[in-house]
Amino acid sequence: MGYSNKVLDHYENPRNAGSFAQDEEGVATGMVGAPACGDVMKLQIKVGKDGVIEDARFKTYGCGSAIASSSLVTEWVKGKTLDEALTIKNAQIAEELALPPVKIHCSVLAEDAIRAAVDDYRKKHGEAK
Amino acid sequence: MLKLPIYLDYSATTPVDPGVAQAMIPWLTERFGNPASRSHAFGWEADAAVEKARENVAALVGADPREIIWTSGATESDNLAIKGAAHFYKEKGRHVVTLKTEHKAVLDTVRELEREGFEATYLGVRENGLIDLDAFRAALRPDTSVVSVMLVNNEIGVIQPIEDIGAICREKGIIFHVDAAQATGKVEIDLAKLPVDLMSFSAHKTYGPKGIGALYVRRKPRVRLEAQMHGGGHERGLRSGTLPTHQIVGMGEAFRLARENMAAELPRIHALHDRLLAGLSSIEATYMNGDLTPGRHVPHNLNVSFAYVEGESLMMSIRDVAVSSGSACTSASLEPSYVLRALGRDDELAHSSIRFSLGRFTTAEEIDYAVDIIRRGVGKLRDLSPLWEMAQAGIDLSTVQWAAH
């Protein structure tokens, strides 16, 4: 299977890999996927007092395209408000990484991870959806 | 000097042995005759070469040369054996028994018979990948006409007890087919003694060329087949089509070399297997798939699940080592290996599996290099893995409610 250079780059040099402490101020976590399906993504965002995502971390169990999709998303959400982050769509991720059709589900999962992390933040901070 | 990339995928295919390639060449150029041409020397010498090759194939497996039919490969042999026997003996019954862990060439052929109105039982296997003989006996019916069980499994390398299976089939008058594509040169096969009626062979898994195989069809007691390919009546009417002399010569020479080298090759591969096993076992949370007991497993194969690491991403991190994976991501189906699932391995471990297969040209240096690069790859990917992080934190992953997609 051929990989695009961008997938290879994110795979070789993952951006923002790692974890924040769960109880850290402003941190929210989204975990999506299932081991039985072959991919699990954990996306964490750290939201500042101004409601802007200051930083992000990811950990992913999955193929190279899943790792690249989540790595890319950590870069994209930084500096965005929660609402802006929610506008990131799987098609943009797939296009940026030149994912082949069989790997589109990786970009869908990355979009789901953003939504799950934002939901978690809002739940913790009592914000209505 | 270590040459990269390293090939550890001998169960997918093997290189043609240089001696085999040399033997084939004259039959493409100056000795190009059609073995079916009875009227001149071009045909006679090609025919003699084909018969010599037939003897070499027969000799490796303890058969009579007249029991060997040339085909295009093990897939065609499986088709001819299973459909040919099921069709010929359809008055006896229309029920076929096989295993869930068979190669697709067998499974899909049996599916086709089902579409034609036959009934089929796909028997599960035990956790070690081997057939449960009691369950097998119980699956047989008065109208069972054909049983197909492979000798060596392509994914996990286990050796099925075909002697015992064959004895049960004999007792019940059922035709017994064995796919031995992964077995030649790896295990002793003596069809003079084995209660097997039909056996499929492939050249390219045993250092011969692709595109040629054979089917063993027992003469005593005689096994009948309905031809699947019609035409000039070659191969006693069982498989029409001009014989590819060069391919056949290649398969004959490859099987001759296998017979000659087996005694020396097996202990060498065993040592390499043990070296690989020791190296990989030293990596935390690795699981070996399939029975590893000598006699139930060929040393050419090692199928390992590296928990919390997905197989395709691991293959990406070890790009200088050619292996294959049971991960769904390596196929378009999104389903992980059906063989590992049949062993009762959970899907996560099936997604995390890598098949290493060793062969004639594998060296100890290559094994050491592979172990080292895999250790690093697994380490890197576990650092990235949320599952590994959770496991380290003492979370039992089976209790987690996953957001399935």
Side-chain angles (χ1 to χ4, degrees):
Chain A
M1 201 173 305
Y3 299 98
S4 72
N5 288 335
K6 281 185 177 156
V7 167
L8 287 174
D9 181 41
H10 278 279
Y11 176 82
E12 301 289 351
N13 313 292
R15 327 287 201 263
N16 309 303
S19 297
F20 295 126
Q22 291 280 4
D23 49 8
E24 209 175 314
E25 180 68 28
V27 166
T29 305
M31 176 110 75
V32 294
C37 305
D39 31 35
V40 175
M41 279 181 197
K42 187 184 84 168
L43 175 68
Q44 291 184 304
I45 51 174
K46 191 189 218 173
V47 184
K49 297 236 165 356
D50 53 359
V52 171
I53 298 170
E54 288 173 351
D55 207 352
R57 291 284 183 277
F58 86 94
K59 283 205 173 190
T60 291
Y61 161 84
C63 65
S65 302
I67 290 171
S69 296
S70 35
S71 168
L72 175 68
V73 156
T74 59
E75 286 192 314
W76 279 4
V77 295
K78 272 199 234 181
K80 287 194 166 67
T81 64
L82 298 180
D83 283 330
E84 284 166 354
L86 289 175
T87 64
I88 297 172
K89 290 295 170 228
N90 80 286
Q92 295 164 279
I93 299 165
E95 193 189 328
E96 173 69 16
L97 296 174
L99 299 182
V102 295
K103 296 295 184 188
I104 296 299
H105 69 277
C106 298
S107 63
V108 174
L109 206 58
E111 184 190 320
D112 290 348
I114 300 173
R115 189 163 309 116
V118 169
D119 282 353
D120 185 53
Y121 182 86
R122 288 181 167 161
K123 215 176 293 165
K124 278 183 178 162
H125 293 79
E127 282 181 40
K129 272 196 186 176
Chain B
M1 259 301 276
L2 199 62
K3 194 168 148 265
L4 299 177
I6 291 167
Y7 190 72
L8 291 179
D9 204 13
Y10 280 81
S11 293
T13 193
T14 59
V16 174
D17 191 283
V20 170
Q22 280 305 315
M24 291 171 68
I25 290 170
W27 301 97
L28 283 160
T29 50
E30 69 264 31
R31 309 174 87 177
F32 58 86
N34 186 335
S37 297
R38 302 274 184 232
S39 49
H40 49 68
F42 293 89
W44 300 333
E45 66 169 3
D47 182 58
V50 165
E51 295 315 313
K52 179 81 206 137
R54 206 188 297 273
E55 283 167 23
N56 278 323
V57 169
L60 180 66
V61 296
D64 184 299
R66 291 169 295 179
E67 294 174 313
I68 301 296
I69 300 292
W70 300 115
T71 67
S72 61
T75 292
E76 187 190 334
S77 298
D78 290 344
N79 271 265
L80 174 57
I82 298 169
K83 284 191 260 183
H87 289 160
F88 191 89
Y89 295 101
K90 63 176 182 285
E91 300 311 323
K92 180 194 181 276
R94 299 170 72 86
H95 179 234
V96 179
V97 176
T98 187
L99 299 186
K100 284 183 179 164
T101 51
E102 289 297 306
H103 191 269
K104 290 282 185 193
V106 166
L107 292 176
D108 203 43
T109 300
V110 175
R111 281 261 181 263
E112 173 60 21
L113 285 172
E114 282 190 282
R115 281 188 285 269
E116 292 172 15
F118 286 80
E119 287 180 59
T121 299
Y122 302 88
L123 209 55
V125 293
R126 291 183 292 164
E127 210 174 49
N128 60 4
L130 293 169
I131 190 172
D132 179 335
L133 288 171
D134 293 328
F136 170 67
R137 207 182 261 280
L140 300 177
R141 312 192 316 210
D143 64 337
T144 304
S145 56
V146 179
V147 165
S148 181
V149 174
M150 72 208 318
L151 181 46
V152 173
N153 183 275
N154 52 308
E155 283 194 35
I156 55 176
V158 296
I159 304 169
Q160 298 292 356
I162 58 165
E163 200 169 344
D164 300 333
I165 301 166
I168 297 170
C169 291
R170 277 285 156 83
E171 182 189 308
K172 300 191 179 285
I174 298 168
I175 299 291
F176 181 36
H177 166 251
V178 173
D179 180 343
Q182 294 282 352
T184 42
K186 296 178 188 160
V187 293
E188 223 39 89
I189 301 173
D190 185 2
L191 286 163
K193 296 202 184 95
L194 284 169
V196 169
D197 299 305
L198 300 159
M199 191 177 265
S200 300
F201 304 109
S202 163
H204 80 97
K205 308 282 191 193
T206 311
Y207 310 95
K210 295 167 185 61
I212 183 75
L215 178 65
Y216 160 84
V217 184
R218 180 172 290 280
R219 283 165 61 87
K220 286 177 191 161
R222 188 166 177 212
V223 174
R224 309 286 300 273
L225 298 175
E226 216 166 75
Q228 304 294 307
M229 187 75 80
H230 302 92
H234 307 75
E235 300 298 278
R236 289 183 285 111
L238 283 178
R239 202 280 190 179
S240 289
T242 295
L243 294 176
T245 314
H246 61 294
Q247 300 287 86
I248 289 169
V249 166
M251 181 163 180
E253 181 61 9
F255 276 42
R256 192 190 66 75
L257 284 175
R259 186 159 50 101
E260 198 174 275
N261 292 338
M262 234 173 109
E265 204 163 277
L266 281 179
R268 203 183 70 78
I269 304 266
H270 237 296
L272 292 172
H273 172 271
D274 291 350
R275 195 181 185 103
L276 179 63
L277 178 62
L280 298 180
S281 300
S282 70
I283 302 173
E284 223 180 316
T286 55
Y287 301 89
M288 306 302 154
N289 297 310
D291 200 319
L292 289 186
T293 316
R296 294 189 195 159
H297 182 266
V298 292
H300 307 69
N301 170 294
L302 192 62
N303 190 307
V304 190
S305 289
F306 300 94
Y308 319 114
V309 171
E310 194 276 331
E312 188 197 329
S313 63
L314 182 56
M315 289 203 294
M316 266 177 96
S317 77
I318 56 168
R319 266 178 297 160
D320 283 334
V321 181
V323 293
S324 58
S325 169
S327 156
C329 288
T330 59
S331 70
S333 70
L334 295 181
E335 292 274 306
S337 158
Y338 65 91
V339 172
L340 295 181
R341 295 175 90 185
L343 307 192
R345 279 287 188 226
D346 62 36
D347 283 359
E348 195 248 316
L349 284 178
H351 281 294
S352 303
S353 74
I354 299 280
R355 178 187 72 180
F356 300 88
S357 44
L358 323 181
R360 187 171 291 167
F361 306 107
T362 307
T363 65
E365 292 70 45
E366 290 180 333
I367 297 291
D368 293 346
Y369 181 89
V371 168
D372 185 51
I373 200 170
I374 285 153
R375 186 193 310 282
R376 278 185 281 142
V378 168
K380 172 191 158 161
L381 291 168
R382 282 185 177 160
D383 283 344
L384 274 182
S385 168
L387 305 181
W388 176 250
E389 184 179 57
M390 291 163 83
Q392 295 299 297
I395 299 168
D396 179 358
L397 296 180
S398 64
T399 64
V400 176
Q401 193 70 43
W402 299 102
H405 55 292

